Amino acid sequence: MIYLDTSFLTPLFREEAASTKIAEFYSIVTTSLVVLIPSANDFDLAQEYVAHFATQLRGPDALHLAVAHNNGAAFIATLDEGMLSAAKRLKISARRVIR
């Protein structure tokens, strides 16, 4: 499973430089997407991530990382440099899949 951060999905709904590439990607994986609903364990782990001040994470991004981690995502696909940096500090696999 690959976790798609909202920074990755936003260009699907709003015209941005990455919109075309993301739309192409979306058309390939439409049948493979799974919606994950955060659990209490996800919120607890997100709280731990936020408390690790060196990550500079805010709640929503910490929750993305926690949901992906707790559900065994192979990596997180994101366009958010802050999330990439925080994931690296937390040893969570994350990639900027579009350059």
Side-chain angles (χ1 to χ4, degrees):
M1 169 178 34
I2 300 169
Y3 187 93
L4 303 176
D5 168 40
T6 52
S7 71
F8 186 84
L9 295 174
T10 299
L12 290 172
F13 305 101
R14 196 175 122 195
E15 188 62 35
E16 294 183 6
S19 293
T20 302
K21 288 183 179 183
I22 290 177
E24 290 169 9
F25 175 81
Y26 180 77
S27 69
I28 294 168
V29 297
T30 304
T31 59
S32 301
L33 297 178
V34 174
V35 175
L36 299 172
I37 299 172
S39 69
N41 289 337
D42 297 328
F43 284 98
D44 290 344
L45 184 56
Q47 183 178 5
E48 289 178 32
Y49 289 166
V50 169
H52 185 52
F53 297 120
T55 65
Q56 298 181 357
L57 280 171
R58 292 174 297 192
D61 286 346
L63 187 58
H64 284 305
L65 292 173
V67 169
H69 175 79
N70 285 343
N71 286 278
F75 66 90
I76 298 171
T78 183
L79 301 177
D80 183 332
E81 293 298 328
M83 184 178 289
L84 285 168
S85 175
K88 183 176 180 179
R89 283 187 176 273
L90 295 168
K91 298 184 180 9
I92 297 170
S93 181
R95 299 179 194 161
R96 181 171 179 58
V97 294
I98 297 175
R99 304 236 180 255

